[in-house]
Amino acid sequence: MRYGDFLSLCERSPLPVCRLFGDVVLPTCHLNPYKAGDAYFVNLPDFVISIIALLVTLYLGFRAHRRLDAVGRREIALLLTLFSICLALNIAGADFIYLSPKANRWLGVVNTALTISFFWALMLTGFV
């Protein structure tokens, strides 16, 4: 596997960034999907872990908002907010496959952009 080569990575894992490539990279192994309206629900374990992580993140955000010390409170709030949005888009983008290829691609784009934003917010929090 070379740098920038998503072919071998996307064949083995359902990453949201793999949806940017459309039909070029198809996974060789996938879970059995469940029909849920106009979408197919494909990844139940990731869905459960994402819901648990979202609840824990919301609890931590509530606790960080009530802190009496003002050191790093806004940075932690920014970090937890971005992480909550990333988790929500991960639930919508990685655990469901929509019938519209445009919706799949845009969810992959937004999820990738928010993941990069979360990385930089994490770096900012580390410096504070």
Side-chain angles (χ1 to χ4, degrees), residues 11-12 18 21 34 43-44 48 50 69 78 92-93 95 104 118 125:
E11 285 178 347
R12 295 180 183 93
C18 296
F21 304 114
Y34 299 105
N43 200 351
L44 183 62
V48 170
S50 294
D69 302 332
L78 172 72
D95 299 334
N104 288 329
F118 175 71
T125 306

Side-chain angles (χ1 to χ4, degrees), residues 30-101:
H30 59 284
L31 300 171
N32 294 331
Y34 299 105
K35 181 88 166 140
D38 289 340
Y40 289 99
F41 186 69
V42 292
N43 200 351
L44 183 62
D46 186 46
F47 178 75
V48 170
I49 295 297
S50 294
I51 292 292
I52 292 170
L54 185 62
L55 291 174
V56 169
T57 303
L58 291 176
Y59 173 73
L60 288 175
F62 176 72
R63 296 286 294 172
H65 181 68
R66 295 190 54 191
R67 281 180 51 186
L68 297 176
D69 302 332
V71 178
R73 183 170 47 178
R74 292 202 183 249
E75 289 82 6
I76 293 293
L78 172 72
L79 181 73
L80 293 174
T81 302
L82 275 174
F83 188 64
S84 298
I85 295 170
C86 284
L87 281 173
L89 278 175
N90 189 29
I91 291 170
D95 299 334
F96 292 97
I97 294 179
Y98 299 96
L99 297 178
S100 168

